[in-house]
Amino acid sequence: MNFKTSSDTQAELDMSKLPVHVAIIMDGNGRWAKKRLANRVKGHEQGLETVRVIVRACREIGIRFLTLYAFSTENWQRPKAEVMALMMLLKMFLKSELKEMQDNNIRLTAIGQTERLPDDVRSLLYETMRLTEKNTGLRLNLALSYGGRSEIVKAVQEIAVKAKSGELDPSEISPEVIAEHLYTKDMPDPDLMIRTSGEMRISNFLLWQLAYSELFITDTLWPDFTREELVEILKDYQRRDRRYGKV
Ligand code: FPP
């Protein structure tokens, strides 16, 4: 037989060289819907199906941290109906996946201005985070109402308050001190950042944390993204020579 099952493909991965943290900009839901002459919300619904597939794949492969860019600070400016639909999908996801998360030791966390989320979404999010906080397997980290610049501004403000009160001397401000004031303080930086649907941009995602990440941009629209393509990207990552600016 000459076809490969997904577990065969996975077996080709070098388990000692897996990225610890994978971050994804899930782009292209709108274009996926447009190609089908459907409403943009249909694209987000299909995008949510891909989220389920990719979370499961990452858990099975053994990725430790998965950060998904689900909603940016700029996304609040989309039409109200689309914002509401995205919030509803987030609620659906949190409700429908709780059992899957508990059964599979997945811990859910979030980064971003989560205080801006509607009350019902925010309380369900915090409740899911609380219920899964002791889980030690995959850490599924949702970027929600997230913007990289706002995150850095928030960190600078907190550090300035400490400097003003004398808790911290300005000469002690280092990259480590800044990192400790970011939403991601208890996570390693992403080793690999994937963006779907071909745009060559970072779009205000993890600006500080992506400094040395390997980038992979695929033309595939997020609703069409598959486990098989993820595995191919991981294989590509494993062939790369990460030098962190050194020789
Ligand atoms: C970008 O596509 C995608 C988003 C703004 C939202 C991402 C949301 C999902 C994948 C579904 C919900 C996910 C969770 C975790 C609940 P776009 O609309 O910008 O696409 P376009 O650039 O083709 O218009």
Side-chain angles (χ1 to χ4, degrees), residues 26-31 40 44 47-48 51 69-70 75 78 82 86 89-90 93 142 222:
M26 311 182 288
D27 196 12
N29 295 347
R31 273 162 281 177
R40 293 177 57 80
H44 295 314
L48 185 56
V51 169
Y69 205 0
N75 288 157
R78 292 194 176 193
E82 186 174 344
L86 281 165
L89 286 176
L90 175 59
F93 175 76
L142 299 181
W222 177 251

Side-chain angles (χ1 to χ4, degrees), residues 94 98 101 108 123-132:
L94 293 170
L98 180 62
M101 289 192 257
L108 184 100
S123 51
L124 183 61
L125 173 71
Y126 292 174
E127 176 70 355
T128 312
M129 285 164 54
R130 192 183 62 74
L131 290 170
T132 61

